[in-house]
Structures are given as C-alpha cells and as structure tokens.
Amino acid sequence: MMAGAAEDMRALFGAGVRAALEAWPALQIAVENGFGGVHSQKKAEWLGGAVEDYFIANADLELEEVEDFLGELMTTEFDTVVEDGSLPQVSQQLQTMYHHFQKGDGAALQEMTSEINQKKCKVTATPFKTAKETDVDEDDVDSVEEMEVTATNDEATTDGVSPQPQPTDPDSQTIKEEDIVEDGWTIVRRKK
C-alpha cells in the first residue's frame, strides 16, 4: 500500500507541475506561436515530465537552480529567453509543490493545482505593426542614406569618446555608386 500512496503522490505532483507550466504565459506564447518548431505542443508536454523528473532526481534544489533549469529548457527547446519576470514565480510554485510532495501533503498539492487551474487564462501574443516598405518615399530613403554616411568634421570629444581620425584624401568620404546595394545598404570599404 505504501508504494501505491507514493505513486499517487507522484501523480499529484506531476499534475501540479503540468498545471503550473500550462498556466505560464511565456510557455503558452512559445507554444501558440510555434517557437519550438512544428512539435511545440509535444515539447510542452515533454517539458512537464522533464521538470517533474528534475525535481525527483535532485532533492535539495535552490530556487536559482530551478530558474536556471527552466530558463535553459525554454532557450534550447523554444528558442525563447524569458525576461518578463515570470521565471522566478513559476520556479517558486514548482518548488512549493515539490516540498508538499516531499512531506506527503496530497491535500496541499491538490489545492495548489486547483488554484492554478482556476486562475489560468489564455494568453495571446500581438505582433507589433511596422511600416511597410512601400510606404517609404524614395526621396526620403536617399536623404536618410546621405545622413547615415556623411562624415562630420567636428573634432570635439564627446563623453570621453575620441573622434575618428580624419581621412587625408578628400575623395575617401564619397560613396561610389556600385557601393550602394540593391536593398538600400551601403558597403563601407576601408581605404589603405
């Protein structure tokens, strides 16, 4: 009977881990937008088991270790760096669940899982709207390019930054027509 109780506790812990991860907005967005590739949903399901196994294999984890582990998984599996402040929160939830698991407190695990499931909401990412290239007037593009490549003759030092040495050849500041690439970039060549 002892083995059955341990399995039940492990199942409760696993359910709690999965609930915490499913409620994590950063992971939801990564899965919804396919940051993990075509198998993003499968990776998210796998992540629950990997986190559960990580806790079982490492009894005395510090909060920073859990954060590092989750952050590394998000980076490697979903090509996502979590910078929204949610990583410590999720790590703390998981660590609290694991402490309940270690103490054999199934009621507390069920309560935490239930609370997480009730508070869970659907998160969607809204892409930024950018100006289309067709909206840019050709005259504006030329003037911007000229401003970007015009050399200054101001020799004053600003904020401790030394001015760049001025070229000795007056023609070295001009840009040749073949140096302007089709997409608007300018090739800068070093003079010898």
Side-chain angles (χ1 to χ4, degrees), residues 9 12 21 29 40 43 53 57 60 62 70 73 75 80 84-85 93 98 103 115 123 129-130 168 180 190-191:
M9 283 301 295
L12 285 174
L21 294 176
I29 290 169
S40 290
K43 284 183 179 184
D53 291 343
D60 295 323
E62 296 292 322
L70 286 177
L73 285 175
T75 301
T80 301
D84 65 352
Q93 277 182 331
Y98 186 65
K103 290 189 293 185
E115 285 177 19
V123 177
K129 294 181 181 177
T130 58
T168 54
I180 298 178
R190 179 177 285 205
K191 301 290 180 180

Side-chain angles (χ1 to χ4, degrees), residues 55-131:
F55 273 98
I56 300 299
N58 302 289
D60 295 323
L61 290 170
E62 296 292 322
L63 185 61
E64 293 81 25
E65 293 174 304
V66 178
E67 287 179 36
D68 290 345
F69 180 71
L70 286 177
E72 184 67 28
L73 285 175
M74 288 296 288
T75 301
T76 56
E77 298 300 326
F78 294 97
D79 199 22
T80 301
V81 176
V82 181
E83 294 181 338
D84 65 352
S86 65
L87 197 54
Q89 295 168 345
V90 173
S91 299
Q92 182 63 55
Q93 277 182 331
L94 294 171
Q95 197 169 35
T96 302
M97 284 182 200
Y98 186 65
H99 289 303
H100 291 312
F101 168 74
Q102 285 179 315
K103 290 189 293 185
D105 192 352
L109 267 172
Q110 283 180 321
E111 184 178 329
M112 275 190 80
T113 303
S114 170
E115 285 177 19
I116 290 169
N117 283 328
Q118 288 174 359
K119 292 178 183 177
K120 189 186 319 184
C121 60
K122 185 72 176 159
V123 177
T124 56
T126 307
F128 287 113
K129 294 181 181 177
T130 58

Side-chain angles (χ1 to χ4, degrees), residues 13-33:
F13 176 63
V17 167
R18 284 165 184 74
L21 294 176
E22 288 170 7
W24 188 14
L27 181 58
Q28 284 182 13
I29 290 169
V31 171
E32 180 182 306
N33 291 291

Side-chain angles (χ1 to χ4, degrees), residues 162-178:
S162 301
Q164 292 187 351
Q166 297 298 316
T168 54
D169 180 16
D171 291 332
S172 65
Q173 290 183 358
T174 60
I175 298 173
K176 298 177 185 167
E177 196 67 32
E178 70 262 13

